[in-house]
Amino acid sequence: MTDAPVKAIKQQLNNDLGKIKIENGFINNATILNGYMVHYVRKFSETDEPLNFPCVAIQPSRDRTSKASSNLQSKTERDWILVGAVSVQNPEQVTDNLDTLLYDVKRSLSFDPYKGGAPAVDYVLGEAVFDLPERGDEYAFFEMPITMKFIESLK
């Protein structure tokens, strides 16, 4: 049995975002987190283990499928929410840090889905929305959806 294509696409996201390192020509050294940011924040607050900023969490959001007429293949669109977070310890730098992290995220995801065997056939970045966490949290963040489109074999 083969793995679901969504697993390969998530790995592609991890690999692309994982390139956000200064030595790769990016502005930031980002930590990539798989799953929901709130779970990492809770884990780190309960264990006093530091959460390394800046970071980007890859959160699943929704999955839409339309089957082909043969029912052996489907066109699928998977949405993730990318949550980029930066420390608020230097308040005067927070917005600049959010801007550079967002820029690095967009740069890391600029690939040609038709070259190099990428499992996704197309992708769309959505609108980034900036926000502050709950009072007392030590980070500010943005949320940006990304939709990856691909074909699944249902055999």
Side-chain angles (χ1 to χ4, degrees):
M1 176 180 245
T2 60
D3 280 336
V6 73
K7 185 175 179 180
I9 291 170
K10 186 175 179 198
Q11 186 60 51
Q12 176 183 334
L13 270 175
N14 273 303
N15 293 345
D16 291 342
L17 291 168
K19 294 175 187 171
I20 301 176
K21 303 285 179 213
I22 293 170
E23 66 260 18
N24 293 333
F26 290 89
I27 301 165
N28 295 282
N29 285 316
T31 302
I32 307 307
L33 308 170
N34 289 300
Y36 296 91
M37 177 66 83
V38 67
H39 295 151
Y40 286 96
V41 170
R42 186 180 326 132
K43 173 186 171 189
F44 292 118
S45 68
E46 290 172 355
T47 63
D48 291 327
E49 203 177 312
L51 182 56
N52 295 317
F53 295 106
C55 60
V56 179
I58 305 169
Q59 302 179 173
S61 177
R62 75 185 86 171
D63 190 280
R64 291 175 301 284
T65 301
S66 60
K67 288 190 177 181
S69 59
S70 68
N71 283 332
L72 298 176
Q73 284 190 329
S74 68
K75 296 175 186 176
T76 300
E77 295 182 9
R78 170 62 70 96
D79 297 342
W80 284 275
I81 303 295
L82 304 179
V83 180
V86 301
S87 171
V88 295
Q89 287 186 341
N90 296 316
E92 65 281 352
Q93 295 176 344
V94 170
T95 57
D96 287 344
N97 291 345
L98 283 168
D99 288 339
T100 61
L101 182 57
L102 178 59
Y103 179 65
D104 279 350
V105 166
K106 290 189 284 188
R107 282 182 57 215
S108 76
L109 296 173
S110 59
F111 65 92
D112 184 347
Y114 299 102
K115 292 184 181 176
V121 296
D122 195 12
Y123 77 99
V124 176
L125 293 174
E127 174 183 38
V129 177
F130 298 90
D131 204 350
L132 286 171
E134 298 298 316
R135 183 178 172 172
D137 284 341
E138 308 245 341
Y139 66 97
F141 65 98
F142 64 81
E143 293 182 341
M144 181 175 66
I146 180 170
T147 301
M148 305 291 268
K149 300 175 183 181
F150 55 96
I151 304 296
E152 286 183 293
S153 174
L154 303 177
K155 297 190 236 185

